[in-house]
Amino acid sequence: MAEDTGRMSKTRKIVIIISCVVLLAGIGIMAFPYLQQWVYDRSARSIADKFDQWRQEQVETADDTGERIPYLQELYAAMQAYNLDLYKNGQEGFRDAWSYQESSFDLAAWGVKDNMVGYIDIPQMNVKLPIYLGATTENMKYGAVHLTQTSLPIGGQNTNSVIAAHRGYSGAAMFRDIEILEIGDEITITNLWETMVYRVAEIKVIRPNETNEVLIQKGRDLVTLITCHPYRYNYQRYVVYCERVDD
């Protein structure tokens, strides 16, 4: 009798242990996506913070006249010239999808690491992402990307900078919740020189080949967000047009 009681006690302990292991495993499986998102958010925000710190160091570095270091002025002028040329030639190279992967500038030559031109902050989506030049597979793993043959994200009349990101990638939200955005919501783009504020002005769903829908619009200063649609599919594009807000 004592033997039977002992066996039952051992069996009960084993059942309890197995139940606890299964419960903890279940909790771990459910929590894993949230942990992935938390890790990615920390990494993305850290990259943005380091960009701000580096940018501030460059701004504070001055020559004997007290002016901002010359190469940043030259880079800004080169980017403005690129945007103006795009507008004048009607973005003729925008038809070639492969060109999106070719970066517009080699920012490393200007002392800027990883071809990171700045970062985007979307409070409504609780998302802050670095922006890399060129929509390469590698760049899209780590943040948002600027589509080549669209205006560089420095603002200005007759510009439309198209920024793309995955609709969720390896647990990171990225542009997953883009449908939360509504007309009037604000986003910011921080580049090497300033933080620019844009407001959602229009939202569309388009086909992938409707490139005319994301071209420069005369007289406007736009940032256009684009991602796959519907969620988890890839046969349409969800497009959010954001217009610059005057300081």
Side-chain angles (χ1 to χ4, degrees):
M1 188 71 166
E3 237 179 85
D4 290 342
T5 304
R7 280 201 200 109
M8 287 176 66
S9 179
K10 285 181 182 177
T11 302
R12 199 175 292 117
K13 286 179 182 177
I14 291 170
V15 170
I16 291 171
I17 290 170
I18 292 173
S19 299
C20 289
V21 169
V22 171
L23 178 62
L24 290 173
I27 291 172
I29 290 170
M30 289 188 292
F32 185 67
Y34 298 100
L35 179 61
Q36 278 186 308
Q37 179 62 44
W38 180 80
V39 170
Y40 181 84
D41 280 346
R42 279 180 62 89
S43 174
R45 290 174 188 277
S46 174
I47 291 170
D49 290 343
K50 287 176 182 176
F51 181 85
D52 278 335
Q53 182 180 352
W54 180 85
R55 181 176 65 126
Q56 190 59 35
E57 288 170 359
Q58 306 313 304
V59 171
E60 289 173 356
T61 303
D63 59 20
D64 293 337
T65 65
E67 296 297 324
R68 185 179 294 181
I69 50 178
Y71 86 83
L72 278 181
Q73 295 173 335
E74 292 168 8
L75 174 58
Y76 189 72
M79 293 173 111
Q80 283 184 312
Y82 174 89
N83 286 351
L84 180 59
D85 187 55
L86 272 183
Y87 174 63
K88 286 183 175 179
N89 69 31
Q91 295 172 273
E92 57 188 7
F94 196 65
R95 299 182 186 88
D96 179 11
W98 174 253
S99 69
Y100 306 161
Q101 300 190 37
E102 301 283 338
S103 62
S104 312
F105 282 82
D106 178 15
L107 287 178
W110 300 84
V112 184
K113 294 181 180 179
D114 302 321
N115 249 7
M116 180 180 170
V117 70
Y119 61 87
I120 182 170
D121 191 358
I122 311 175
Q124 195 71 10
M125 291 164 55
N126 193 28
V127 164
K128 183 183 282 189
L129 296 171
I131 302 171
Y132 300 101
L133 297 186
T136 65
T137 302
E138 194 67 15
N139 283 347
M140 292 194 75
K141 287 182 184 177
Y142 300 110
V145 295
H146 163 263
L147 295 193
T148 306
Q149 299 298 327
T150 74
S151 310
L152 294 163
I154 58 172
Q157 194 176 49
N158 304 321
T159 63
N160 184 10
S161 183
V162 181
I163 308 296
H166 284 303
R167 196 149 186 192
Y169 181 82
S170 292
M174 296 189 174
F175 281 2
R176 181 189 64 204
D177 302 321
I178 196 167
E179 290 179 78
I180 290 174
L181 289 176
E182 297 178 346
I183 305 298
D185 287 343
E186 291 187 354
I187 71 166
T188 62
I189 300 281
T190 299
N191 58 36
L192 289 162
W193 300 274
E194 61 181 329
T195 294
M196 306 176 296
V197 181
Y198 289 80
R199 187 172 292 146
V200 176
E202 189 178 358
I203 297 169
K204 283 185 181 180
V205 174
I206 65 173
R207 293 189 299 273
N209 63 346
E210 291 184 291
T211 53
N212 60 302
E213 294 287 351
V214 291
L215 294 178
I216 294 167
Q217 298 182 30
K218 186 176 180 180
R220 302 181 77 182
D221 181 342
L222 299 172
V223 162
T224 298
L225 311 182
I226 188 167
T227 192
C228 298
H229 185 75
Y231 179 51
R232 296 186 183 278
Y233 293 92
N234 194 31
Y235 58 85
Q236 293 177 314
R237 298 290 180 266
Y238 198 87
V239 185
V240 178
Y241 303 88
C242 307
E243 189 153 20
R244 182 85 174 267
V245 176
D246 291 334
D247 293 335

